[in-house]
């Protein structure tokens, strides 16, 4: 079964708390924090979901927002200049999607006519640096890829990069002092 419990950890007090019960349990959804709110999109419930929810950390409550343009799981979600970008993912559990959507938290609207990535993927590593959304690896159909690219929201363009390591799916990435570190998961050495 899929869980819908939300837990909060306070590292200063070293305590855990159970927060307001969320919407239908799911996996493969995305979370993005904007101010005191946490936005959750998509995931797998009993099927792939296009649901979009917001959790208010002050009121300890959930509210449903405008559904996304299409259901996704295994996608990425990041915040750039006050907008939430949803990239890639799968809409059916086997085929990767190259679509890129932008959500405006200020007015609860979606923009869908953004540039499509050349190599669609899901379960890719994603990070933001200098206003660009970088993506590495992921799964494209049945193939684990080492595609490396970035999306520039100002020009609405994808740029493919080279020099990447081996193929990876479901890797983790973090940026520290301007340097990206990518670790592990499924792939070939």
């Amino acid at each position: 079964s899929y869980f819908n419990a939300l837990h909060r950890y306070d590292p200063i007090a070293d305590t855990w708390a159970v927060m307001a019960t969320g919407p239908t349990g799911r996996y493969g959804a995305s979370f993005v924090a904007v101010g005191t709110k946490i936005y959750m999109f998509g995931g797998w419930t009993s099927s792939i979901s296009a649901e979009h929810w917001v959790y208010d950390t002050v009121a300890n409550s959930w509210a449903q927002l405008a559904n996304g343009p299409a259901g996704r799981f295994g996608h990425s979600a990041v915040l750039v200049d006050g907008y939430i970008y949803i990239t890639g993912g799968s809409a059916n559990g086997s085929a990767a999607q190259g679509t890129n959507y932008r959500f405006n938290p200020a007015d609860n609207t979606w923009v869908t006519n953004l540039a499509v990535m050349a190599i669609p993927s899901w379960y890719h590593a994603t990070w933001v640096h200098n206003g660009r959304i970088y993506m590495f690896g992921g799964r494209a159909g049945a193939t684990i890829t080492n595609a490396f690219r970035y999306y520039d929201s100002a020009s609405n363009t994808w740029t493919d990069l080279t020099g990447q390591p081996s193929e990876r799916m479901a890797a983790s990435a973090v940026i520290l002092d301007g340097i990206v570190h990518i670790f592990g998961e499924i792939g070939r050495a």
Side-chain angles (χ1 to χ4, degrees):
S1 65
Y2 310 123
F3 296 104
N4 66 343
L6 178 65
H7 296 87
R8 181 182 69 196
Y9 176 70
D10 181 337
I12 295 169
D14 190 25
T15 58
W16 285 92
V18 177
M19 308 311 290
T21 300
T24 305
R26 66 196 65 219
Y27 79 94
S30 59
F31 265 31
V32 173
V34 180
T36 61
K37 296 181 178 177
I38 300 170
Y39 292 81
M40 180 182 73
F41 174 73
W44 181 278
T45 56
S46 59
S47 61
I48 296 173
S49 175
E51 290 180 347
H52 193 214
W53 292 81
V54 62
Y55 172 73
D56 186 320
T57 62
V58 176
N60 187 31
S61 63
W62 289 90
Q64 190 166 14
L65 302 172
N67 277 355
R72 291 285 185 272
F73 84 104
H75 57 280
S76 298
V78 294
L79 184 68
V80 177
D81 296 329
Y83 296 101
I84 298 171
Y85 287 84
I86 306 292
T87 58
S90 178
N92 62 13
S94 63
Q97 302 296 308
T99 50
N100 192 23
Y101 304 131
R102 184 179 70 210
F103 178 75
N104 184 347
D107 65 8
N108 192 28
T109 58
W110 290 91
V111 173
T112 60
N113 61 342
L114 301 178
V116 174
M117 63 183 91
I119 300 173
S121 67
W122 53 316
Y123 286 118
H124 42 260
T126 306
W127 63 93
V128 175
H129 182 63
N130 290 335
R132 292 178 173 166
I133 302 168
Y134 287 82
M135 293 175 55
F136 171 73
R139 183 173 166 184
T143 304
I144 297 173
T145 179
N146 67 343
F148 184 37
R149 66 270 196 188
Y150 69 82
Y151 175 76
D152 186 319
S153 61
S155 64
N156 187 32
T157 56
W158 285 96
T159 300
D160 291 325
L161 301 169
T162 59
Q164 60 273 28
S166 64
E167 297 86 353
R168 306 275 176 93
M169 177 181 123
S172 297
V174 65
I175 189 164
L176 177 65
D177 296 328
I179 305 295
V180 175
H181 300 75
I182 299 173
F183 180 78
E185 289 314 327
I186 304 165
R188 291 185 274 165

